[in-house]
Amino acid sequence: VYALPFAYHNGPWKLYTAPGLEEAENGRERMLRLGVEYGFHFDNWEVSPQVDIDIIEREGEVYVLGVTFARGFDL
């Protein structure tokens, strides 16, 4: 999946949409990812579970679950 995300942050919540392309057996297909995630903060770490729906040109809807780990650095 190649996508360009546009996000809206409100506190620990993030809503996003990401138009893009998916590599498939029959070539590339257009897709749109819609998602939501919530960030839990632990010291310099953030753990963000996320739920996404990919709307793919010929396949329909695909549901994606994920977790993002991020670490902040003090400069």
Side-chain angles (χ1 to χ4, degrees):
V1 172
Y2 304 98
L4 179 64
F6 296 94
Y8 170 75
H9 292 262
N10 186 2
W13 288 97
K14 182 166 93 173
L15 304 171
Y16 51 92
T17 183
L21 298 170
E22 180 191 56
E23 289 287 340
E25 292 178 11
N26 300 334
R28 291 185 177 162
E29 297 183 38
R30 291 180 295 179
M31 52 111 18
L32 176 67
R33 174 169 285 182
L34 303 173
V36 62
E37 69 180 55
Y38 186 90
F40 295 95
H41 294 269
F42 307 97
D43 295 324
N44 284 344
W45 285 90
E46 179 178 318
V47 179
S48 302
Q50 61 190 52
V51 177
D52 303 324
I53 300 172
D54 289 354
I55 303 166
I56 303 170
E57 188 173 25
R58 289 178 280 223
E59 292 182 36
E61 296 177 355
V62 175
Y63 296 91
V64 180
L65 299 175
V67 177
T68 300
F69 297 92
R71 183 169 188 261
F73 294 97
D74 294 328
L75 298 177

